[in-house]
Amino acid sequence: MQRQDCLPDSVTYLSLVQAYTESLNYSKAEETIHAMQSKGIPPSCAHFNVLLSALTKAGLIDEAKRVYEELSTFGLIPDLICHRTMMRGYLKYGCVEEGINFFESISKSIKGDRFIMSAAVHFYKSAGKESQAKEILCSMKNMRIPFLTKLEVGSAERVKAS
């Protein structure tokens, strides 16, 4: 590609990150995102979300959290998709306290998202915090946001990074 005077762009790097995550080579995917930056191509939330999604699906929640927190070092503010990806990971692997803490840290910026608010209700109920769950349910009702009843907390087993 470079021999033909074609330089990689953001889409090229997104494809590389996707390919590395599909082959379970998460470290190479992350290196690719860093390489973009060093070549003057700013990564976007989409690049990070591909990696976040792969890490959370693999049960590498701590790694996903580290990558999520790294977004700001690239001058990025996590978007709704990044927030949903993290909440989905916390929900799937039963990370109740982490899910609650995460929800509380983003709740001011997610204005009425059905999935995130529903997941938060399930987290609070799992933690025995019924009043917080009811408060969110009331807000959802007032905003006419339907509650997702079929979400499950802890449907998979979490993997610890080695």
Side-chain angles (χ1 to χ4, degrees), residues 22-56:
E22 286 176 6
S23 65
L24 309 180
N25 195 340
Y26 309 123
S27 60
K28 196 70 174 161
E30 190 171 357
E31 287 173 26
T32 301
I33 293 171
H34 287 274
M36 289 177 68
Q37 185 79 10
S38 67
K39 295 199 188 304
I41 301 170
S44 68
C45 285
H47 296 91
F48 280 94
N49 197 59
V50 168
L51 180 55
L52 289 173
S53 182
L55 291 169
T56 57

Short mmCIF file of all heavy atoms in Angstrom, two decimals, residues 22-56:
data_model
loop_
_atom_site.label_atom_id
_atom_site.label_comp_id
_atom_site.label_asym_id
_atom_site.label_seq_id
_atom_site.Cartn_x
_atom_site.Cartn_y
_atom_site.Cartn_z
N GLU A 22 -10.50 -9.43 16.09
CA GLU A 22 -11.15 -10.67 15.65
C GLU A 22 -10.22 -11.87 15.77
O GLU A 22 -10.67 -12.99 15.96
CB GLU A 22 -11.67 -10.53 14.23
CG GLU A 22 -12.92 -9.66 14.16
CD GLU A 22 -13.43 -9.42 12.76
OE1 GLU A 22 -12.90 -10.00 11.79
OE2 GLU A 22 -14.37 -8.62 12.63
N SER A 23 -8.91 -11.62 15.67
CA SER A 23 -7.94 -12.71 15.84
C SER A 23 -7.46 -12.81 17.30
O SER A 23 -6.48 -13.50 17.59
CB SER A 23 -6.76 -12.54 14.90
OG SER A 23 -6.03 -11.37 15.21
N LEU A 24 -8.16 -12.08 18.20
CA LEU A 24 -7.90 -12.09 19.64
C LEU A 24 -6.53 -11.53 20.01
O LEU A 24 -6.00 -11.82 21.08
CB LEU A 24 -8.07 -13.50 20.23
CG LEU A 24 -9.38 -14.21 19.90
CD1 LEU A 24 -9.42 -15.58 20.55
CD2 LEU A 24 -10.59 -13.38 20.27
N ASN A 25 -5.97 -10.72 19.14
CA ASN A 25 -4.67 -10.10 19.39
C ASN A 25 -4.92 -8.66 19.89
O ASN A 25 -4.71 -7.69 19.17
CB ASN A 25 -3.82 -10.10 18.12
CG ASN A 25 -2.37 -9.81 18.41
OD1 ASN A 25 -2.03 -9.25 19.45
ND2 ASN A 25 -1.50 -10.17 17.49
N TYR A 26 -5.38 -8.57 21.13
CA TYR A 26 -5.80 -7.29 21.70
C TYR A 26 -4.64 -6.32 21.87
O TYR A 26 -4.80 -5.12 21.68
CB TYR A 26 -6.52 -7.51 23.03
CG TYR A 26 -7.63 -8.53 22.93
CD1 TYR A 26 -7.64 -9.66 23.74
CD2 TYR A 26 -8.65 -8.39 22.00
CE1 TYR A 26 -8.65 -10.60 23.64
CE2 TYR A 26 -9.66 -9.33 21.88
CZ TYR A 26 -9.65 -10.43 22.70
OH TYR A 26 -10.65 -11.37 22.58
N SER A 27 -3.48 -6.83 22.23
CA SER A 27 -2.33 -5.94 22.41
C SER A 27 -1.92 -5.31 21.08
O SER A 27 -1.58 -4.14 21.03
CB SER A 27 -1.15 -6.67 23.06
OG SER A 27 -0.73 -7.74 22.26
N LYS A 28 -1.99 -6.07 20.01
CA LYS A 28 -1.65 -5.52 18.69
C LYS A 28 -2.70 -4.51 18.25
O LYS A 28 -2.37 -3.49 17.64
CB LYS A 28 -1.54 -6.66 17.67
CG LYS A 28 -0.84 -6.27 16.41
CD LYS A 28 0.64 -6.03 16.63
CE LYS A 28 1.31 -5.77 15.29
NZ LYS A 28 2.59 -5.12 15.42
N ALA A 29 -3.95 -4.74 18.59
CA ALA A 29 -5.01 -3.77 18.29
C ALA A 29 -4.73 -2.45 19.01
O ALA A 29 -4.85 -1.37 18.42
CB ALA A 29 -6.36 -4.33 18.70
N GLU A 30 -4.33 -2.56 20.26
CA GLU A 30 -4.03 -1.35 21.03
C GLU A 30 -2.79 -0.65 20.48
O GLU A 30 -2.76 0.58 20.38
CB GLU A 30 -3.86 -1.69 22.51
CG GLU A 30 -3.79 -0.48 23.39
CD GLU A 30 -3.83 -0.80 24.87
OE1 GLU A 30 -3.98 -1.98 25.25
OE2 GLU A 30 -3.70 0.15 25.66
N GLU A 31 -1.78 -1.42 20.11
CA GLU A 31 -0.58 -0.83 19.49
C GLU A 31 -0.93 -0.08 18.21
O GLU A 31 -0.35 0.97 17.92
CB GLU A 31 0.44 -1.93 19.17
CG GLU A 31 1.15 -2.51 20.35
CD GLU A 31 2.03 -3.70 19.96
OE1 GLU A 31 2.47 -3.78 18.79
OE2 GLU A 31 2.25 -4.57 20.83
N THR A 32 -1.87 -0.61 17.46
CA THR A 32 -2.29 0.03 16.22
C THR A 32 -2.91 1.39 16.49
O THR A 32 -2.64 2.36 15.77
CB THR A 32 -3.28 -0.88 15.46
OG1 THR A 32 -2.62 -2.13 15.19
CG2 THR A 32 -3.75 -0.26 14.18
N ILE A 33 -3.70 1.47 17.54
CA ILE A 33 -4.31 2.76 17.91
C ILE A 33 -3.21 3.75 18.29
O ILE A 33 -3.25 4.92 17.88
CB ILE A 33 -5.34 2.57 19.05
CG1 ILE A 33 -6.54 1.77 18.54
CG2 ILE A 33 -5.78 3.93 19.60
CD1 ILE A 33 -7.52 1.33 19.61
N HIS A 34 -2.22 3.30 19.02
CA HIS A 34 -1.11 4.18 19.40
C HIS A 34 -0.29 4.58 18.17
O HIS A 34 0.17 5.73 18.08
CB HIS A 34 -0.23 3.51 20.45
CG HIS A 34 -0.85 3.46 21.80
ND1 HIS A 34 -0.76 4.49 22.71
CD2 HIS A 34 -1.60 2.50 22.41
CE1 HIS A 34 -1.43 4.18 23.80
NE2 HIS A 34 -1.94 2.97 23.64
N ALA A 35 -0.12 3.66 17.23
CA ALA A 35 0.62 3.96 16.00
C ALA A 35 -0.07 5.04 15.19
O ALA A 35 0.59 5.89 14.58
CB ALA A 35 0.80 2.70 15.17
N MET A 36 -1.38 5.03 15.17
CA MET A 36 -2.13 6.07 14.46
C MET A 36 -1.72 7.44 14.97
O MET A 36 -1.43 8.34 14.19
CB MET A 36 -3.64 5.94 14.74
CG MET A 36 -4.34 4.82 14.14
SD MET A 36 -6.08 4.82 14.65
CE MET A 36 -6.68 6.28 13.81
N GLN A 37 -1.77 7.56 16.28
CA GLN A 37 -1.46 8.83 16.94
C GLN A 37 -0.06 9.29 16.56
O GLN A 37 0.16 10.45 16.23
CB GLN A 37 -1.59 8.68 18.46
CG GLN A 37 -1.41 9.95 19.24
CD GLN A 37 -2.66 10.82 19.23
OE1 GLN A 37 -3.72 10.41 18.79
NE2 GLN A 37 -2.52 12.03 19.71
N SER A 38 0.89 8.37 16.58
CA SER A 38 2.28 8.73 16.28
C SER A 38 2.46 9.11 14.81
O SER A 38 3.40 9.81 14.46
CB SER A 38 3.24 7.60 16.66
OG SER A 38 3.04 6.49 15.83
N LYS A 39 1.54 8.69 13.96
CA LYS A 39 1.61 9.03 12.54
C LYS A 39 0.74 10.24 12.20
O LYS A 39 0.52 10.57 11.03
CB LYS A 39 1.21 7.84 11.69
CG LYS A 39 2.18 6.68 11.82
CD LYS A 39 2.04 5.72 10.67
CE LYS A 39 2.83 4.47 10.82
NZ LYS A 39 4.21 4.51 11.04
N GLY A 40 0.22 10.89 13.25
CA GLY A 40 -0.55 12.11 13.04
C GLY A 40 -2.00 11.89 12.65
O GLY A 40 -2.67 12.80 12.19
N ILE A 41 -2.49 10.67 12.83
CA ILE A 41 -3.90 10.37 12.53
C ILE A 41 -4.59 10.14 13.87
O ILE A 41 -4.35 9.15 14.55
CB ILE A 41 -4.03 9.11 11.64
CG1 ILE A 41 -3.28 9.33 10.33
CG2 ILE A 41 -5.49 8.79 11.39
CD1 ILE A 41 -3.13 8.09 9.49
N PRO A 42 -5.42 11.09 14.27
CA PRO A 42 -6.05 10.95 15.59
C PRO A 42 -7.08 9.82 15.61
O PRO A 42 -7.95 9.75 14.76
CB PRO A 42 -6.73 12.30 15.82
CG PRO A 42 -6.88 12.90 14.47
CD PRO A 42 -5.82 12.31 13.59
N PRO A 43 -6.97 8.92 16.59
CA PRO A 43 -7.97 7.87 16.71
C PRO A 43 -9.29 8.47 17.19
O PRO A 43 -9.31 9.52 17.83
CB PRO A 43 -7.39 6.92 17.75
CG PRO A 43 -6.41 7.72 18.51
CD PRO A 43 -5.92 8.81 17.60
N SER A 44 -10.37 7.79 16.87
CA SER A 44 -11.70 8.24 17.31
C SER A 44 -12.26 7.24 18.32
O SER A 44 -11.67 6.17 18.55
CB SER A 44 -12.64 8.33 16.10
OG SER A 44 -12.91 7.03 15.60
N CYS A 45 -13.41 7.58 18.86
CA CYS A 45 -14.07 6.65 19.77
C CYS A 45 -14.37 5.33 19.07
O CYS A 45 -14.36 4.27 19.70
CB CYS A 45 -15.36 7.27 20.32
SG CYS A 45 -15.06 8.54 21.57
N ALA A 46 -14.62 5.36 17.76
CA ALA A 46 -14.90 4.13 17.02
C ALA A 46 -13.73 3.16 17.10
O ALA A 46 -13.93 1.95 17.28
CB ALA A 46 -15.23 4.45 15.56
N HIS A 47 -12.51 3.66 16.98
CA HIS A 47 -11.33 2.80 17.08
C HIS A 47 -11.25 2.14 18.44
O HIS A 47 -11.02 0.94 18.56
CB HIS A 47 -10.05 3.61 16.82
CG HIS A 47 -9.97 4.16 15.44
ND1 HIS A 47 -10.46 5.41 15.13
CD2 HIS A 47 -9.47 3.65 14.29
CE1 HIS A 47 -10.26 5.63 13.84
NE2 HIS A 47 -9.66 4.58 13.31
N PHE A 48 -11.47 2.95 19.46
CA PHE A 48 -11.42 2.43 20.83
C PHE A 48 -12.58 1.48 21.10
O PHE A 48 -12.41 0.49 21.79
CB PHE A 48 -11.42 3.57 21.85
CG PHE A 48 -10.07 4.20 22.02
CD1 PHE A 48 -9.73 5.32 21.30
CD2 PHE A 48 -9.15 3.65 22.89
CE1 PHE A 48 -8.47 5.90 21.45
CE2 PHE A 48 -7.89 4.22 23.05
CZ PHE A 48 -7.56 5.35 22.32
N ASN A 49 -13.76 1.78 20.56
CA ASN A 49 -14.90 0.94 20.86
C ASN A 49 -14.76 -0.46 20.27
O ASN A 49 -15.23 -1.42 20.87
CB ASN A 49 -16.22 1.58 20.41
CG ASN A 49 -17.38 0.89 21.09
OD1 ASN A 49 -17.46 0.87 22.32
ND2 ASN A 49 -18.24 0.28 20.30
N VAL A 50 -14.10 -0.58 19.13
CA VAL A 50 -13.85 -1.91 18.59
C VAL A 50 -13.05 -2.73 19.60
O VAL A 50 -13.37 -3.89 19.89
CB VAL A 50 -13.11 -1.84 17.23
CG1 VAL A 50 -12.60 -3.19 16.79
CG2 VAL A 50 -14.02 -1.24 16.16
N LEU A 51 -12.03 -2.11 20.17
CA LEU A 51 -11.20 -2.79 21.16
C LEU A 51 -11.98 -3.02 22.46
O LEU A 51 -11.94 -4.12 23.03
CB LEU A 51 -9.92 -1.98 21.43
CG LEU A 51 -8.94 -2.56 22.44
CD1 LEU A 51 -8.52 -3.98 22.07
CD2 LEU A 51 -7.71 -1.65 22.53
N LEU A 52 -12.71 -2.01 22.93
CA LEU A 52 -13.51 -2.17 24.15
C LEU A 52 -14.51 -3.31 24.01
O LEU A 52 -14.66 -4.13 24.92
CB LEU A 52 -14.27 -0.87 24.46
CG LEU A 52 -13.47 0.31 24.95
CD1 LEU A 52 -14.36 1.55 25.04
CD2 LEU A 52 -12.83 0.01 26.29
N SER A 53 -15.17 -3.35 22.89
CA SER A 53 -16.17 -4.39 22.65
C SER A 53 -15.54 -5.78 22.68
O SER A 53 -16.07 -6.71 23.30
CB SER A 53 -16.86 -4.13 21.31
OG SER A 53 -17.85 -5.09 21.08
N ALA A 54 -14.40 -5.93 22.03
CA ALA A 54 -13.71 -7.22 22.01
C ALA A 54 -13.27 -7.63 23.41
O ALA A 54 -13.42 -8.79 23.81
CB ALA A 54 -12.52 -7.17 21.06
N LEU A 55 -12.72 -6.66 24.16
CA LEU A 55 -12.25 -6.97 25.51
C LEU A 55 -13.40 -7.35 26.43
O LEU A 55 -13.30 -8.32 27.20
CB LEU A 55 -11.48 -5.78 26.08
CG LEU A 55 -10.13 -5.48 25.44
CD1 LEU A 55 -9.60 -4.12 25.90
CD2 LEU A 55 -9.12 -6.58 25.73
N THR A 56 -14.51 -6.61 26.36
CA THR A 56 -15.64 -6.93 27.24
C THR A 56 -16.26 -8.27 26.84
O THR A 56 -16.64 -9.06 27.71
CB THR A 56 -16.71 -5.82 27.26
OG1 THR A 56 -17.18 -5.58 25.94
CG2 THR A 56 -16.17 -4.55 27.88
#
